[in-house]
Amino acid sequence: MIQVNNLAMSYGERILFENVNLNLSPGQCYGIVGANGSGKSTFLKILSGDIHPKTGNIRIPNDYNLGILKQNHFEYENNKIIDVVLMGREKLWTALQRRDVLSKKQNLSSNEGIELSEVEILLSQLDGYQAESKAANILNGLGIRSSQISNPMSTLSGGYKLRVLLAKCLFSLPDIILLDEPNNHLDIYSIAWLENYLTSFKGIVVIVSHDHNFLNRISTNILDIDYEEIKAYKGNYDSFLKAKKLEREQKEVEIERQEKKQQELQEFYEKFKAKATKARQAVSRKKQLENMDDIHIKRSSRKTPKFNLVPTRPSGQNVLEINNLNKSFDDNHVIRDLSFNINRNDKIAIIGPNGIGKSTLLKILTNNLKADSGKINWGYEVALGYFAQNHKDIIPDGTTPYNWLYNFINEKTVTGVRSILGKMLFSGDDVDKSTESLSGGEAARLLFSKLIAQHPNTLLLDEPTNHLDLESIEALSDALVEYTGTLLFVSHDRYFVEKVATSILELNYDGHKYYQGKYSSFIYSKGEDHLSEDISKLGKKNYPSDSGKKPLKSKLNIRQRRELTKELSRLEKKIKQHENNITELEGKIAEQQKQLETNASSDFKKLQDIMAEKEKHEADLDHEMTQWEEKHTKHEEICLKIEAIDTETN
C-alpha cells in the first residue's frame, strides 16, 4: 500500500494541491485526471521520489519495487533492444552477463566452474531461461517486431525508444507502476495491448492519461486534481464524471436551500423587529442568520477552449483524388500503391501501427514531403488547414503567440487577435510569452488558433489530441462533429476516432483498407476487435497475401445459429426488463427532484431523506443503464454473427 499523508505542493504563490490524504492499494489502477498544469505529473514525481513535496510525506514499503517510465533513452544507444529490456531486472541481468563471460572461456578454473554452476542455479531461480522470451513478448505487444529486437537502440526513432523503456519498466517485475501519458508514444494497437497488461497486473498502477477510452478500460479509481485538492473516486472515468456532476448539483441544491432559508429569516426580522410582542423572536432570527456559514462552490482549475472552426466558403464536391501513391525511406516502403477519394464533408480517420506512413501521408498532402510516385489532385476551392504532430514544424522559436498569430489573421487588430487567443485560453501576459517556452498543450492550442483564424474548409490533423487534457479533447471532438468542412486526421485515441470519424482508412503492412462508417462498425466488419490481438499478427489477417490465398472463413453452422437465436431471445427479454426499470426509476427521480425544488419547509430531515432516496434511485438507474448497454451491445454482436452465418449459408 502507498500512504499519502497531508501532502501539499506549491510553486511560489500558486497552490497545486494541499491536505492530500490517500491510501493506494494493490490490485487497483488509479487514473490521474485534471487540467493541464494542475499538477498531475508533479504528483507522479512526488510518488516516485524525484521531487519532494512542500509538506507531508509518502510511505511506500521498503521491499516494493517501483516501475517508472524514464526518459533516458539516449543512455542505451549502443545496447541491443532486447538487452535494454533485460536490464530491467538488475540481478538477472548481472547473472546473464556473468554467465556469458564464463561460457566464452576455453578453460575454466575449478573456482570458475563452481561459479558458473552457481550462476546457472541463480538464473533458474530468477526464471532466467524464459527471460528473453518474456521480454520479446512485451516488446512485440508494444509494436517492436521480433526481427528488430537484436538491433541496437540507435536504429529506433525517439517514440520507439520510449516503447523499449516502457517494456523495460514492465519487465522489471514492479509492485508499483507509475506512468505519465504513455499513450503519446503508442499507436492504437499497442494501447490496446497495454490495456490488457495493466488490467491483469496485481500491483498498484498510477497513471496519467488523456485517453478517455483507455481510462475507462483500465481505471478502478480516479484521482481528480481540482480545486487545489486531490480527491479519489471509485470506478472508471465515466463513473467519475457522473459522480462529480452529481456532487456539484447537490451543492447547488444545498446553496439554493440555504439562500431560501436566509431570505425567510431576513423577512421575518424585517417584518417583526418593530413589534414588541415579536421583538425577541425577531432578534433570535437575526442572530440565527448571522451565525449561518455561507456555502461556496470553489472555482475549478478546469477551463475549456472554444474551437470555433468555421469555413469561409465550401469546397467543391470532389475534395481529393489519390492514385497509386508510393513513398519509401531507403528500404522501408511505408506507403504502397495507395488510392482513394475524399468527398466534401467526409471525416476520415487514418489508423494503423506507428511507422506505417500515417504522418508521412499528411506531410505529402501538405507538400512537406515529396512522394516517390503517384498522383494527388485537389478539388475546386479547397482551402487547407494543417495541424502538425511536431509543433516545432510550424511554430518557430523567437516569437510570441500574439505576434505569430497576427500573421495569419485578417482582422489585424489587437482585439481580433486577442479574441481568438482568448478562446484558446491565452489570456493576460500569456499572449506575450516566448514560443519556445510553450508547453505541449499550449502549442497545440496555438496551432488551433491559426486554424480558427484561417477558416479552412479542409482540415488535415496529425494526432491533434496528444497534448490536450480531457476537457479540451471533448470540446475539440464536439467542434469537429459540428464542423461543416472536410476532415482527414490521424489519431490513436479510440474515443476521439469513434466520435468524430465517419470513415476509416486503415494503413497496414499488407496495404490499406477503406471503410465507410463509424469506427465501431469497422471493428465489427472485421469479425472481431483487432485491437486485442498480438501486434505481430496485425496486418496479416484480413488481406490477401502475395500468394493470392484468401483468408479462412469462420466455420459457422446451423447449430451455432440455433444457439445464437436462443441467446438473442433471452437477451431481448432482459433488455425489455431493464427498459421498464429505467422508465420507472426516471419517474421516481423526477418526482423527488420536484419535491426538492418546491418544498419550502424548514424540515431539513425530510429534505435529507428525499435527497438520500433520490441518490439511491440515481445509483440504481446508473446500474440499470450499464446493464442495458452491455446487453444491447451483446445483442448487436449476436445479430452480426447470425447475419454472417446466413450470408455464408446462402
Side-chain angles (χ1 to χ4, degrees):
M1 178 181 287
I2 301 176
Q3 291 182 316
V4 181
N5 302 308
N6 298 318
L7 199 70
M9 191 65 189
S10 61
Y11 292 103
E13 296 182 357
R14 182 167 174 251
I15 298 171
L16 294 180
F17 42 79
E18 56 188 356
N19 301 321
V20 178
N21 292 281
L22 300 167
N23 289 322
L24 310 183
S25 305
Q28 302 294 303
C29 180
Y30 299 86
I32 304 177
V33 301
N36 283 345
S38 62
K40 301 185 295 295
S41 296
T42 299
F43 181 60
L44 267 190
K45 289 176 181 176
I46 292 173
L47 291 180
S48 67
D50 286 347
I51 61 176
H52 297 291
K54 210 76 173 176
T55 61
N57 61 76
I58 305 288
R59 292 183 181 177
I60 299 175
N62 291 331
D63 58 345
Y64 271 32
N65 179 28
L66 266 63
I68 305 167
L69 176 56
K70 296 184 177 179
Q71 308 286 325
N72 57 335
H73 46 279
F74 292 111
E75 183 179 332
Y76 305 102
E77 287 294 273
N78 298 319
N79 295 100
K80 290 181 181 179
I81 292 168
I82 188 72
D83 288 349
V84 174
V85 179
L86 294 171
M87 289 176 192
R89 300 185 199 171
E90 187 176 345
K91 194 173 182 181
L92 171 65
W93 174 246
T94 301
L96 287 170
Q97 291 291 94
R98 187 58 185 158
R99 183 189 65 177
D100 288 348
V101 170
L102 293 172
S103 298
K104 289 175 182 176
K105 286 196 171 187
Q106 295 289 335
N107 298 303
L108 293 176
S109 67
S110 58
N111 287 338
E112 288 173 333
I114 293 170
E115 184 185 0
L116 181 57
S117 298
E118 290 173 344
V119 169
E120 295 286 1
I121 292 169
L122 178 60
L123 285 173
S124 179
Q125 293 171 344
L126 297 174
D127 199 20
Y129 299 110
Q130 302 297 321
E132 284 202 19
S133 174
K134 291 180 178 179
N137 284 338
I138 295 174
L139 286 167
N140 290 162
L142 293 173
I144 310 292
R145 296 193 293 275
S146 298
S147 60
Q148 296 175 283
I149 64 175
S150 294
N151 297 337
M153 278 280 276
S154 59
T155 61
L156 297 177
S157 66
Y160 274 91
K161 287 173 185 173
L162 287 167
R163 293 188 190 206
V164 177
L165 295 185
L166 176 56
K168 179 174 181 266
C169 164
L170 301 180
F171 181 75
S172 67
L173 297 180
D175 300 291
I176 301 168
I177 295 176
L178 306 177
L179 299 176
D180 192 355
E181 296 192 46
N183 313 55
N184 286 356
H185 315 300
L186 303 178
D187 56 35
I188 204 164
Y189 308 112
S190 303
I191 289 172
W193 180 90
L194 182 60
E195 283 174 2
N196 292 333
Y197 185 96
L198 294 178
T199 51
S200 62
F201 181 67
K202 304 301 182 186
I204 301 171
V205 179
V206 187
I207 188 165
V208 174
S209 176
H210 294 154
D211 187 320
H212 189 132
N213 262 28
F214 184 72
L215 286 173
N216 263 347
R217 290 173 183 265
I218 67 165
S219 299
T220 59
N221 303 265
I222 295 294
L223 302 180
D224 178 40
I225 304 183
D226 201 2
Y227 308 116
E228 299 177 356
E229 63 182 13
I230 303 179
K231 186 170 182 179
Y233 293 82
K234 287 290 289 183
N236 63 11
Y237 183 68
D238 280 346
S239 298
F240 150 73
L241 288 177
K242 291 176 184 176
K244 190 161 185 176
K245 181 185 177 191
L246 182 60
E247 280 181 359
R248 189 171 185 89
E249 289 174 350
Q250 290 171 344
K251 182 76 75 173
E252 288 170 350
V253 169
E254 192 178 347
I255 290 173
E256 186 178 346
R257 190 164 59 241
Q258 188 187 63
E259 288 174 345
K260 187 178 290 186
K261 180 63 177 176
Q262 288 172 330
Q263 183 180 352
E264 290 172 357
L265 292 171
Q266 184 67 36
E267 287 174 353
F268 187 94
Y269 172 74
E270 295 294 339
K271 186 175 181 180
F272 296 111
K273 65 181 179 180
K275 290 191 176 182
T277 56
K278 295 282 188 177
R280 183 176 295 177
Q281 289 174 292
V283 170
S284 175
R285 297 292 198 281
K286 182 66 173 176
K287 288 181 179 178
Q288 188 178 345
L289 180 62
E290 290 171 349
N291 290 331
M292 289 180 73
D293 293 326
D294 287 335
I295 302 170
H296 297 287
I297 296 180
K298 290 183 180 179
R299 186 175 180 179
S300 173
S301 63
R302 286 176 165 84
K303 296 179 181 178
T304 304
K306 295 184 173 111
F307 296 92
N308 190 25
L309 298 163
V310 180
T312 300
R313 61 185 183 280
S315 68
Q317 181 60 34
N318 298 319
V319 173
L320 175 65
E321 292 181 3
I322 296 178
N323 293 300
N324 300 318
L325 197 69
N326 286 275
K327 179 63 181 177
S328 298
F329 296 97
D330 297 325
D331 295 332
N332 184 18
H333 201 156
V334 292
I335 297 177
R336 188 189 304 271
D337 297 326
L338 178 63
S339 298
F340 73 101
N341 296 336
I342 300 178
N343 295 319
R344 187 175 61 215
N345 302 133
D346 282 348
K347 293 175 182 176
I348 302 170
I350 308 172
I351 67 169
N354 279 0
I356 205 68
K358 304 186 298 294
S359 296
T360 298
L361 174 59
L362 293 190
K363 288 178 179 178
I364 291 172
L365 295 179
T366 54
N367 288 322
N368 288 299
L369 268 180
K370 185 178 173 69
D372 297 335
S373 62
K375 292 184 178 180
I376 298 171
N377 295 313
W378 288 103
Y380 176 72
E381 288 284 353
V382 170
L384 282 182
Y386 175 48
F387 181 101
Q389 183 178 164
N390 184 357
H391 304 150
K392 294 291 184 183
D393 289 348
I394 294 181
I395 303 174
D397 292 341
T399 184
T400 68
Y402 181 91
N403 290 335
W404 182 77
L405 183 62
Y406 184 85
N407 297 316
F408 305 104
I409 193 168
N410 291 326
E411 304 86 7
K412 292 187 181 294
T413 65
V414 173
T415 304
V417 178
R418 279 188 171 270
S419 174
I420 293 177
L421 288 172
K423 290 174 183 175
M424 288 294 104
L425 308 183
F426 290 94
S427 59
D429 294 338
D430 290 341
V431 303
D432 295 318
K433 71 192 298 186
S434 174
T435 49
E436 51 260 48
S437 67
L438 295 177
S439 67
E442 288 172 327
R445 286 186 272 113
L446 184 54
L447 283 182
F448 274 110
S449 298
K450 176 186 174 184
L451 296 179
I452 291 171
Q454 290 181 317
H455 302 288
N457 57 36
T458 302
L459 289 173
L460 304 182
L461 309 180
D462 193 357
E463 300 285 10
T465 66
N466 259 6
H467 297 284
L468 298 180
D469 58 30
L470 284 154
E471 287 72 30
S472 297
I473 293 172
E474 192 71 42
L476 175 60
S477 61
D478 287 341
L480 291 176
V481 168
E482 297 297 321
Y483 179 60
T484 57
T486 305
L487 174 63
L488 184 65
F489 69 99
V490 174
S491 179
H492 60 248
D493 186 325
R494 283 163 293 173
Y495 174 82
F496 184 75
V497 171
E498 170 64 20
K499 187 171 178 179
V500 175
T502 59
S503 300
I504 306 295
L505 174 64
E506 183 187 35
L507 303 184
N508 219 296
Y509 297 116
D510 294 326
H512 67 278
K513 182 181 179 72
Y514 184 75
Y515 180 87
Q516 288 187 315
K518 300 292 285 181
Y519 178 70
S520 54
S521 300
F522 168 71
I523 294 303
Y524 285 132
S525 76
K526 297 174 75 73
E528 56 189 297
D529 189 344
H530 66 296
L531 297 186
S532 66
E533 295 184 279
D534 189 299
I535 189 71
S536 62
K537 300 176 185 176
L538 294 170
K540 309 298 181 185
K541 201 163 201 175
N542 294 309
Y543 301 99
S545 65
D546 292 337
S547 62
K549 293 181 180 178
K550 294 181 179 179
L552 293 174
K553 291 183 178 179
S554 302
K555 295 182 178 179
L556 301 171
N557 52 41
I558 302 302
R559 181 179 176 183
Q560 284 178 304
R561 192 189 194 286
R562 189 161 51 245
E563 291 173 353
L564 289 170
T565 303
K566 289 180 181 178
E567 178 64 17
L568 201 64
S569 178
R570 286 193 292 269
L571 277 172
E572 286 170 349
K573 290 179 182 177
K574 291 178 180 178
I575 289 170
K576 184 65 176 174
Q577 183 59 51
H578 286 307
E579 288 173 347
N580 292 337
N581 293 343
I582 288 167
T583 301
E584 183 180 349
L585 286 166
E586 286 176 338
K588 289 180 178 178
I589 291 168
E591 178 59 31
Q592 287 157 346
Q593 184 63 37
K594 185 178 179 181
Q595 291 177 30
L596 289 172
E597 292 172 354
T598 59
N599 196 324
S601 169
S602 60
D603 187 350
F604 293 117
K605 179 66 170 65
K606 183 178 179 181
L607 291 172
Q608 287 175 339
D609 289 344
I610 295 171
M611 179 66 77
E613 190 67 20
K614 178 172 173 282
E615 289 175 5
K616 180 181 180 301
H617 287 149
E618 286 172 337
D620 291 341
L621 179 60
D622 284 343
H623 176 73
E624 290 292 337
M625 289 293 292
T626 301
Q627 292 295 312
W628 180 87
E629 288 171 0
E630 289 176 356
K631 290 179 176 60
H632 207 276
T633 299
K634 186 69 175 174
H635 186 278
E636 290 178 353
E637 291 174 357
I638 292 174
C639 286
L640 286 167
K641 289 178 181 178
I642 291 174
E643 184 180 333
I645 293 172
D646 292 342
T647 300
E648 186 171 319
T649 304
N650 295 334

